Amino acid sequence: MVQNTRISLANEQRESGRQQVFDSIRQAGRIARIDIARETNVSPATVTAITSELMSAGLIEEFTPEVERKGAKRGRPRVALKVRGDAHLIAGIKISDRSATVILVDFEGNTLGEYDEPVPGPIMSPEELVRLVGQSLEGASASIGKTLADISGVGLGLAGLINANKNFVHWSPSLDARNVELGKMLDAHLPFPVFMDNDANLVAKAEQLFGDGRHVSDFIVITIEQGVGMGIVIDDQIYRGERGCGAEFGHTKVQLDGALCRCGQRGCLEAYVGDYALLREANIRGEGSAQDDLAVLYSRAKTGDAMAQSIFDRAGRMFAMGLANVINIFDPELLILSGEQMAFDFLYADAVLDRVKASVVQVDAALPEIKVHKWGDLMWAKGAAAYAMEGVTALTIRQLAANAS
């Protein structure tokens, strides 16, 4: 028993070392073995052994920079290592109320293809969603001359309460059922692993790898579309909570027994700020004319319509209260506002930010920086693809450890 425990611990340490070395290569883009050893505090001999394994597994390759190749006069040029782009084809999908947006990337994260598939409706059965994912991936792969068999893994971003570790959906506004084993259903339908997460977490992943969150250890992303989401990065890791239900900013309460939220509860921030909430309020206050376009409603507010102005003013006040609470709880280095509603400035107008500043605990230090990033569905999908890249990497490294034991 003691011997088995020691072997298991040694395998875990080797797996962790492989992951650490690979992560340093991906983060650097191009890096020499000696620099990996310096950054990871792993011995040069161990780095050499690990990188040899990673090369044998097809995850990385050697690369001689063109400058050094041309400038070298004698001796062997300094060789760097990089992730092998053609090692895997990865897909990322963002499900919205209008479409399934797919991005296909190589293992370095370079975009190879983009694709949109209309959804059968804003609310689907789990079976309809599974078919939608399959159809979307087939269309996306065919668009670049590939098939499903060429894909190594897919990341799926879905609004709602998602347990990413179990690929389990507690609740999603896109589904007509609760407590769905969606991961198992997708695994039975697709020939590759699926890595699922709340879509706001995947925006945080995209910001971390490709956007304003690069080189920032602690930051928060607030997403505003049909609903309101939040992705939290602490010490370079996404925080999800014990059940995968953490960071549900849109379902924090801002009004006792207030407006009805689509989650079924009342008084949620989302019920005052989300697209559907603003349009619902316009319909309630309207004079018999249906309001179904946020841009039209916003245009009316800008041209002096008092009813439209009051709707956006209340949304701004509620949002400011929520942002101040987030800053008071987490004190992040950076706060990023992302999503389609960033096309309209009513949530980050000076008056809203002034309310935030007035409600934050006052200390003799600068407030967190607040940035606005107007990403569309494609970048959300790229965050899903990045999540799948991490998952495929972990599975491959785990298999290396199993073969070595």
Short mmCIF file of all heavy atoms in Angstrom, two decimals, residues 7 10-12 14-15 18 49 53 396-405:
data_model
loop_
_atom_site.label_atom_id
_atom_site.label_comp_id
_atom_site.label_asym_id
_atom_site.label_seq_id
_atom_site.Cartn_x
_atom_site.Cartn_y
_atom_site.Cartn_z
N ILE A 7 4.18 5.55 -5.62
CA ILE A 7 4.14 5.54 -7.09
C ILE A 7 3.09 6.53 -7.60
O ILE A 7 3.33 7.29 -8.54
CB ILE A 7 3.84 4.12 -7.61
CG1 ILE A 7 5.01 3.19 -7.30
CG2 ILE A 7 3.55 4.14 -9.11
CD1 ILE A 7 4.75 1.73 -7.64
N ALA A 10 4.34 10.04 -7.15
CA ALA A 10 5.37 10.34 -8.14
C ALA A 10 4.76 10.61 -9.51
O ALA A 10 5.18 11.52 -10.23
CB ALA A 10 6.36 9.18 -8.23
N ASN A 11 3.72 9.83 -9.87
CA ASN A 11 3.04 10.04 -11.15
C ASN A 11 2.37 11.40 -11.20
O ASN A 11 2.40 12.10 -12.22
CB ASN A 11 2.01 8.94 -11.39
CG ASN A 11 2.65 7.60 -11.74
OD1 ASN A 11 3.80 7.56 -12.17
ND2 ASN A 11 1.90 6.52 -11.57
N GLU A 12 1.74 11.78 -10.06
CA GLU A 12 1.08 13.09 -10.00
C GLU A 12 2.10 14.21 -10.15
O GLU A 12 1.84 15.22 -10.81
CB GLU A 12 0.33 13.24 -8.68
CG GLU A 12 -0.92 12.38 -8.57
CD GLU A 12 -1.61 12.54 -7.22
OE1 GLU A 12 -1.18 13.42 -6.44
OE2 GLU A 12 -2.56 11.79 -6.95
N ARG A 14 5.00 14.02 -11.72
CA ARG A 14 5.47 14.06 -13.11
C ARG A 14 4.43 14.71 -14.02
O ARG A 14 4.76 15.49 -14.90
CB ARG A 14 5.79 12.64 -13.60
CG ARG A 14 7.12 12.09 -13.08
CD ARG A 14 7.56 10.89 -13.87
NE ARG A 14 6.68 9.76 -13.67
CZ ARG A 14 6.84 8.83 -12.71
NH1 ARG A 14 7.86 8.94 -11.89
NH2 ARG A 14 5.99 7.84 -12.58
N GLU A 15 3.16 14.38 -13.78
CA GLU A 15 2.09 14.98 -14.58
C GLU A 15 2.04 16.48 -14.37
O GLU A 15 1.91 17.26 -15.33
CB GLU A 15 0.75 14.35 -14.21
CG GLU A 15 -0.42 14.90 -15.02
CD GLU A 15 -1.73 14.24 -14.64
OE1 GLU A 15 -1.72 13.08 -14.18
OE2 GLU A 15 -2.79 14.90 -14.80
N ARG A 18 4.96 18.08 -16.24
CA ARG A 18 4.71 18.15 -17.68
C ARG A 18 3.77 19.31 -18.00
O ARG A 18 3.99 20.05 -18.96
CB ARG A 18 4.11 16.84 -18.18
CG ARG A 18 5.05 15.63 -18.12
CD ARG A 18 4.38 14.42 -18.73
NE ARG A 18 5.21 13.23 -18.59
CZ ARG A 18 5.05 12.31 -17.64
NH1 ARG A 18 4.08 12.45 -16.73
NH2 ARG A 18 5.84 11.26 -17.58
N ALA A 49 14.04 16.11 -20.38
CA ALA A 49 13.30 14.83 -20.41
C ALA A 49 11.82 15.07 -20.70
O ALA A 49 11.20 14.37 -21.52
CB ALA A 49 13.46 14.11 -19.08
N GLU A 53 9.39 14.06 -24.06
CA GLU A 53 8.10 13.35 -24.00
C GLU A 53 7.01 14.13 -24.72
O GLU A 53 6.21 13.54 -25.46
CB GLU A 53 7.69 13.15 -22.54
CG GLU A 53 8.54 12.16 -21.78
CD GLU A 53 8.10 12.03 -20.33
OE1 GLU A 53 7.58 13.02 -19.77
OE2 GLU A 53 8.26 10.95 -19.77
N THR A 396 -4.05 14.60 -22.80
CA THR A 396 -2.85 14.03 -23.44
C THR A 396 -1.74 13.83 -22.43
O THR A 396 -1.07 12.79 -22.41
CB THR A 396 -2.37 14.96 -24.58
OG1 THR A 396 -3.45 15.19 -25.48
CG2 THR A 396 -1.21 14.32 -25.33
N ILE A 397 -1.53 14.81 -21.56
CA ILE A 397 -0.47 14.71 -20.54
C ILE A 397 -0.81 13.62 -19.53
O ILE A 397 0.07 12.88 -19.08
CB ILE A 397 -0.27 16.08 -19.88
CG1 ILE A 397 0.41 17.04 -20.86
CG2 ILE A 397 0.57 15.96 -18.60
CD1 ILE A 397 0.58 18.44 -20.36
N ARG A 398 -2.09 13.50 -19.20
CA ARG A 398 -2.52 12.43 -18.28
C ARG A 398 -2.23 11.06 -18.89
O ARG A 398 -1.81 10.13 -18.20
CB ARG A 398 -4.00 12.59 -17.97
CG ARG A 398 -4.46 11.86 -16.71
CD ARG A 398 -5.85 12.30 -16.32
NE ARG A 398 -5.89 13.73 -16.04
CZ ARG A 398 -6.84 14.54 -16.47
NH1 ARG A 398 -7.84 14.08 -17.19
NH2 ARG A 398 -6.79 15.83 -16.14
N GLN A 399 -2.43 10.95 -20.19
CA GLN A 399 -2.16 9.69 -20.87
C GLN A 399 -0.65 9.39 -20.88
O GLN A 399 -0.23 8.24 -20.72
CB GLN A 399 -2.68 9.73 -22.31
CG GLN A 399 -2.60 8.41 -23.05
CD GLN A 399 -3.39 7.31 -22.36
OE1 GLN A 399 -4.53 7.52 -21.98
NE2 GLN A 399 -2.79 6.15 -22.18
N LEU A 400 0.16 10.45 -21.02
CA LEU A 400 1.61 10.27 -20.94
C LEU A 400 2.01 9.69 -19.58
O LEU A 400 2.84 8.79 -19.48
CB LEU A 400 2.31 11.61 -21.14
CG LEU A 400 2.53 12.10 -22.56
CD1 LEU A 400 3.14 13.50 -22.54
CD2 LEU A 400 3.43 11.15 -23.34
N ALA A 401 1.39 10.24 -18.52
CA ALA A 401 1.70 9.77 -17.18
C ALA A 401 1.27 8.32 -17.00
O ALA A 401 1.99 7.52 -16.38
CB ALA A 401 1.00 10.66 -16.15
N ALA A 402 0.11 7.96 -17.57
CA ALA A 402 -0.36 6.59 -17.45
C ALA A 402 0.55 5.62 -18.19
O ALA A 402 0.83 4.51 -17.70
CB ALA A 402 -1.79 6.48 -18.00
N ASN A 403 1.03 6.03 -19.36
CA ASN A 403 1.92 5.15 -20.13
C ASN A 403 3.27 4.99 -19.46
O ASN A 403 3.94 3.96 -19.62
CB ASN A 403 2.11 5.72 -21.53
CG ASN A 403 0.83 5.69 -22.34
OD1 ASN A 403 -0.08 4.92 -22.05
ND2 ASN A 403 0.77 6.52 -23.38
N ALA A 404 3.67 6.02 -18.68
CA ALA A 404 4.99 5.98 -18.05
C ALA A 404 4.98 5.16 -16.78
O ALA A 404 6.03 4.76 -16.26
CB ALA A 404 5.47 7.40 -17.75
N SER A 405 3.79 4.93 -16.20
CA SER A 405 3.72 4.24 -14.91
C SER A 405 3.78 2.73 -15.08
O SER A 405 3.65 2.19 -16.17
CB SER A 405 2.42 4.62 -14.20
OG SER A 405 1.30 4.26 -14.97
#
